[in-house]
Amino acid sequence: MDCPDLVNQTSVSSASAKANTGVPTLSVVAPLYNEAENVRPLVEWILQALESYVGTFEVILVDDGSRDGTWNEVRAAAIDPRIRGLRLGANVGQTAAMMAGFDNSRGEVIVSLDGDLQNDPRDIPALVSKLSEGYDLVCGWRQSRKDKLLLRKVPSWLANRLIRGLTGVPITDNGCSLKAYRRDLLRRISLYAEQHRFIPALSASVGARITEMPVRHHARRFGESKYGISRTLKVLVDLITLKMITTFRSRPLLGFGLAAIPALAVALVFGGFWLFSLTHFGPEKAAALIFPGAGLLALEVAFYLFMLGLVAEVALNSERGDATDIPNAWEVR
Ligand code: UDP
Ligand code: MG
């Protein structure tokens, strides 16, 4: 998975980390943007939650270009060999920060969670063991969400309904960062912009087996949320892109062609009006340019959309060859 947005990645881990026992089987990834006060309790909480975890694990703390003391806290935490710090040279956003963590992780199983203590690390073992029931992705579902009603819960409820309706993937809480993935799956999906909310839909489009399970959620104690209400608009725009990617990615002409049909219908209606006016109206009214003008305009739109579809097909064709569009033939486990 490439993450071209990232600049100046720096990573720290203590000398003893290098002597850590082999490759971890589980990687826990947390993005952090100005979360200085949360780092220490987060690390303690994760270590406590994984105390009885059978297998080796690593915790990857991704500092997403923080301007407060987050990086110092991450460095201090990385004294523990199980903790690794990754510092991004700029604030690239939660999705890209998560991707940076995924790219630098080593476990066959990966868990992502927010770094602000809103997700509960005690849910990690259950998510991981659910994965071993034969899933590729287990999504956390914040059944009792501790966020503001109007600014968070209502827009999120609407967004989740829209995402479910448009993608047909029956996951209740797409926005919950607490998720467990198989590495194979993460290799097959690439995320950009703020697409971490669409991980279930993107995973479904490559044939992943997905489930969800209830997880705990807490109110933010330290620091503040990095998002305002404008996020809702961004999610809507991203959703249109997602629909385009998941449905028409391999057949853009079909998408554009479908969009051209209403324009063609409008053109025909105006053409009909024009003919009707020629035969039924007086000669001066029949000469009005409005009907043929509007008809031609709509015809032009239809033609334009169709040509866009063709151009997209040509562009796509030059890219084909790597078989990433073909869903995995998942091995039976
Ligand atoms: N985050 C990040 N980069 C950003 C914005 C957020 O790494 O540009 C991290 C943030 O530090 C937190 C997680 O993403 O660990 C979720 O962000 P936040 O708590 O602000 O979102 P909310 O819970 O309000 O939806
Ligand atoms: Mg939060």
Side-chain angles (χ1 to χ4, degrees), residues 2-299:
D2 280 326
C3 200
D5 286 331
L6 304 176
V7 255
N8 285 336
Q9 286 186 15
T10 321
S11 72
V12 287
S13 49
S14 71
S16 52
K18 296 196 177 72
N20 196 9
T21 47
V23 180
T25 53
L26 167 68
S27 300
V28 178
V29 173
L32 302 156
Y33 178 51
N34 295 342
E35 305 284 5
E37 292 156 291
N38 286 316
V39 177
R40 201 180 308 201
L42 175 74
V43 169
E44 275 168 20
W45 211 8
I46 295 176
L47 293 181
Q48 225 172 48
L50 295 179
E51 211 166 339
S52 51
Y53 177 75
V54 262
T56 44
F57 67 88
E58 63 180 355
V59 180
I60 303 184
L61 304 173
V62 187
D63 175 7
D64 182 18
S66 298
R67 278 181 279 264
D68 65 352
T70 299
W71 181 239
N72 286 339
E73 292 293 331
V74 170
R75 280 173 61 150
I79 302 236
D80 185 310
R82 295 162 296 182
I83 314 293
R84 295 169 63 208
L86 189 66
R87 185 187 205 181
L88 310 183
N91 175 226
V92 292
Q94 187 180 347
T95 302
M98 285 167 71
M99 287 282 285
F102 295 159
D103 284 350
N104 285 277
S105 66
R106 297 172 294 169
E108 272 311 303
V109 169
I110 295 150
V111 167
S112 61
L113 83 169
D114 282 349
D116 59 355
L117 307 174
Q118 288 205 262
N119 294 135
D120 194 319
R122 288 175 296 173
D123 290 317
I124 297 176
L127 288 172
V128 173
S129 65
K130 189 82 188 165
L131 208 61
S132 60
E133 285 177 22
Y135 295 102
D136 304 296
L137 170 64
V138 181
C139 305
W141 169 14
R142 296 164 292 182
Q143 274 183 339
S144 115
R145 196 170 162 184
K146 303 290 185 302
D147 275 322
K148 285 185 185 138
L149 181 72
L150 271 185
L151 285 179
R152 282 282 182 285
K153 292 207 248 186
V154 171
S156 154
W157 181 83
L158 276 173
N160 276 311
R161 282 199 75 94
L162 254 177
I163 296 172
R164 271 203 302 278
L166 275 179
T167 64
V169 181
I171 291 297
T172 321
D173 188 2
N174 288 275
C176 179
S177 302
L178 186 52
K179 289 184 171 80
Y181 324 75
R182 268 180 208 287
R183 173 166 298 282
D184 280 356
L185 171 63
L186 288 180
R187 275 196 206 106
R188 299 186 62 82
I189 56 172
S190 69
L191 312 170
Y192 57 90
E194 293 186 26
Q195 285 186 344
H196 62 273
R197 287 182 197 88
F198 302 136
I199 288 174
L202 289 166
S203 302
S205 74
V206 296
R209 290 159 299 187
I210 308 171
T211 190
E212 64 184 354
M213 62 184 296
V215 293
R216 286 162 270 211
H217 193 243
H218 306 283
R220 214 184 226 278
R221 276 193 291 153
F222 310 114
E224 42 190 50
S225 170
K226 310 302 174 304
Y227 301 102
I229 192 75
S230 67
R231 164 161 72 181
T232 315
L233 199 66
K234 289 186 192 156
V235 171
L236 287 180
V237 173
D238 286 347
L239 192 56
I240 297 171
T241 317
L242 176 83
K243 181 69 187 166
M244 191 68 205
I245 291 172
T246 52
T247 314
F248 300 118
R249 186 171 164 217
S250 53
R251 293 164 301 173
L253 185 55
L254 182 66
F256 283 105
L258 285 177
I261 290 175
L264 205 60
V266 171
L268 284 176
V269 168
F270 277 111
F273 282 166
W274 185 36
L275 283 181
F276 186 79
S277 70
L278 279 178
T279 48
H280 290 72
F281 294 177
E284 68 291 348
K285 277 190 185 158
L289 284 177
I290 182 81
F291 291 146
L296 274 177
L297 199 67
L299 196 66

